[in-house]
């Protein structure tokens, strides 16, 4: 079994067992005593504990997993999945928003438009990327690239990973709400296939702004909701102390979203999360994307748009 790198408090049982195994190995090496039976027993217990733990994560646990600093981000997936990538910049109105990246790429020889949030890996890069929180120009850049893909009849793939659209005053002054709403409208009738994948955090309109697609997936340990657990807790209980309770109430996990028919599927992650084996995660994502591109490519454009609109219109129930 692959060694699990632990980072969170809920992973402590795994860390404790790994520590026990290391101590037994050290004793065996020093005393030259055969400890294989003990090691086998501990290894079996470690496998069982690890599998049970990651199969029974709470909503807050999954929020933590989605924020792991080593978790692959959009540029990582582009490098793993695509044969090449030409990044394109600017919304042709204000500036180039570094929180959203996009450009033409090729996957197995097929040209696609890839767009996604990029948070950054260290403090300097996170500041440069504004922590993945896009301004209106970011969503307008994304829309410009989607229209370009439509012009050349190329599919669109989006990777969603954001704490939300940037809530600053200047963003509101430049029309944050309008920019996101415009994307929802335009993506619903875009005449090329769209595949959307939540690869980390999927918060509020910031995620939905590039989240309307023919296929919408979530990775296993991600979340997708109208609000973050911390913000929900601060509104309802005037404190962040209830974020765990808020996470459960919001029903934001991939299992919750799939059971409520708000997404089309859940993409499994390597044991312990995508950060444990990024290359495996990349290969899995590529398999899903290639399969869906082939299936969507067989649909007539008008039928594809009709199905896309119907899917989102069927979400939720209104009683009058």
């Amino acid at each position: 079994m692959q060694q699990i790198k632990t980072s969170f408090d809920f992973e402590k049982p795994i860390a404790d067992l790994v520590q026990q195994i290391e101590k037994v190995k050290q004793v065996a090496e020093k005393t030259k005593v055969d400890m294989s039976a003990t090691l086998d027993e501990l290894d079996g217990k470690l496998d069982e504990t690890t599998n049970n733990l990651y199969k029974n994560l709470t909503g807050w646990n999954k929020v933590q997993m989605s924020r792991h600093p080593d978790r692959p981000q959009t540029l990582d997936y582009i490098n793993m999945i695509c044969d090449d990538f030409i990044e394109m910049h600017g919304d042709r109105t204000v500036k180039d928003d570094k929180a959203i990246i996009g450009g033409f790429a090729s996957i197995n020889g097929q040209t696609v438009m890839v767009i996604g949030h990029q948070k950054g890996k260290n403090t300097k890069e996170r500041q440069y990327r504004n922590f993945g929180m896009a301004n209106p120009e970011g969503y307008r850049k994304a829309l410009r690239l989607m229209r370009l893909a439509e012009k050349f009849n190329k599919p669109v793939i989006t990777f969603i990973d954001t704490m939300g659209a940037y809530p600053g005053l200047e963003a509101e002054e430049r029309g944050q709400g309008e920019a996101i709403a415009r994307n929802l409208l335009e993506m619903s009738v875009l005449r090329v296939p769209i595949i959307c994948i939540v690869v980390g955090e999927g918060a509020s309109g910031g995620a939905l702004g590039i989240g309307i697609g023919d296929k919408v997936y979530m990775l296993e340990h991600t979340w997708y909701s109208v609000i973050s657990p911390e913000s929900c807790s601060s509104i309802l209980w005037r404190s962040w102390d209830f974020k765990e309770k808020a996470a459960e109430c919001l029903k934001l996990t991939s299992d919750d979203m799939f059971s409520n028919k708000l997404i089309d599927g859940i993409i499994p992650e390597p044991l312990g999360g995508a950060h444990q084996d990024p290359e495996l995660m990349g290969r899995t994502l590529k398999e899903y994307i290639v399969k869906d591109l082939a299936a969507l490519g067989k649909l007539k454009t008008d039928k594809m748009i009709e199905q896309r609109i119907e899917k989102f219109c069927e979400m939720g129930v209104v009683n009058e």
Side-chain angles (χ1 to χ4, degrees):
M1 177 181 157
Q2 179 187 333
Q3 183 72 41
I4 297 293
K5 301 174 185 176
T6 58
S7 304
F8 306 111
D9 291 340
F10 67 84
E11 294 176 313
K12 191 174 183 300
I14 297 174
D16 291 342
L17 282 169
V18 170
Q19 192 174 16
Q20 287 183 42
I21 291 171
E22 289 302 318
K23 285 181 179 178
V24 171
K25 286 180 178 178
Q26 290 173 9
V27 171
E29 188 175 344
K30 286 181 180 179
T31 62
K32 306 301 181 183
V33 176
D34 184 9
M35 306 287 282
S36 57
T38 303
L39 285 171
D40 288 343
E41 182 181 350
L42 286 171
D43 283 335
K45 192 173 181 181
L46 177 61
D47 287 350
E48 182 182 358
T49 301
T50 302
N51 285 303
N52 288 337
L53 189 147
Y54 290 113
K55 283 179 182 176
N56 298 286
L57 294 177
T58 66
W60 178 246
N61 293 156
K62 292 206 173 188
V63 171
Q64 291 176 290
M65 293 280 281
S66 73
R67 296 171 175 171
H68 196 285
D70 295 331
R71 191 174 181 85
Q73 299 179 10
T74 296
L75 277 174
D76 299 313
Y77 287 121
I78 289 173
N79 291 331
M80 288 187 284
I81 293 171
C82 303
D83 303 319
D84 51 38
F85 174 62
I86 301 173
E87 185 174 357
M88 308 180 80
H89 302 271
D91 69 336
R92 300 298 185 266
T93 305
V94 179
K95 64 177 182 179
D96 181 41
D97 190 337
K98 306 300 182 182
I100 287 186
I101 59 173
F104 281 115
S106 63
I107 301 176
N108 288 357
Q110 181 176 2
T111 302
V112 297
M113 176 65 76
V114 182
I115 302 167
H117 300 99
Q118 180 70 18
K119 286 181 174 178
K121 294 295 186 72
N122 52 51
T123 302
K124 187 176 181 180
E125 192 177 336
R126 289 188 186 107
Q127 289 176 330
Y128 178 71
R129 298 287 181 184
N130 200 31
F131 297 85
M133 296 187 293
N135 281 278
E137 49 269 24
Y139 294 102
R140 291 179 178 128
K141 173 171 75 170
L143 180 57
R144 179 178 76 83
L145 298 185
M146 284 186 254
R147 284 173 172 163
L148 195 61
E150 183 182 50
K151 178 180 179 179
F152 293 106
N153 195 30
K154 303 301 179 185
V156 174
I157 299 167
T158 69
F159 294 113
I160 300 166
D161 185 14
T162 181
M163 296 181 287
Y166 184 59
L169 178 61
E170 61 273 24
E172 299 298 337
E173 289 174 342
R174 292 197 298 274
Q176 185 73 283
E178 187 278 335
I180 293 173
R182 174 67 59 183
N183 278 24
L184 304 186
L185 173 64
E186 298 286 349
M187 290 183 78
S188 64
V189 294
L190 203 71
R191 299 185 65 80
V192 292
I194 308 173
I195 300 172
C196 307
I197 306 170
V198 181
V199 296
E201 298 186 85
S204 191
L208 200 58
I210 57 170
I212 304 296
D214 303 292
K215 293 290 184 180
V216 180
Y217 293 106
M218 289 176 68
L219 299 196
E220 185 180 358
H221 301 312
T222 60
W223 65 277
Y224 200 10
S225 179
V226 68
I227 193 171
S228 70
E230 293 94 334
S231 297
C232 179
S233 176
S234 66
I235 291 171
L236 295 181
W237 292 284
R238 300 292 188 270
S239 168
W240 279 24
D241 296 339
F242 298 91
K243 55 185 179 293
E244 293 91 344
K245 184 177 180 180
E248 296 304 318
C249 294
L250 286 169
K251 302 296 182 185
L252 44 64
T253 68
S254 55
D255 292 327
D256 293 324
M257 295 293 288
F258 185 66
S259 65
N260 288 324
K261 299 180 180 180
L262 298 174
I263 59 172
D264 298 296
I266 301 171
I267 300 178
E269 297 188 24
L271 187 63
H275 57 280
Q276 299 288 352
D277 193 344
E279 291 186 1
L280 174 58
M281 189 71 257
R283 290 196 299 271
T284 304
L285 265 183
K286 187 174 183 177
E287 289 174 6
Y288 274 78
I289 290 171
V290 170
K291 179 189 69 174
D292 283 333
L293 286 177
L296 291 170
K298 296 176 183 177
L299 288 176
K300 291 185 178 179
T301 302
D302 291 338
K303 181 66 175 176
M304 179 183 66
I305 294 173
E306 181 184 342
Q307 289 179 356
R308 187 189 306 158
I309 293 173
E310 284 180 358
K311 179 177 72 172
F312 283 93
C313 286
E314 289 173 358
M315 294 179 184
V317 178
V318 178
N319 294 320
E320 296 184 356

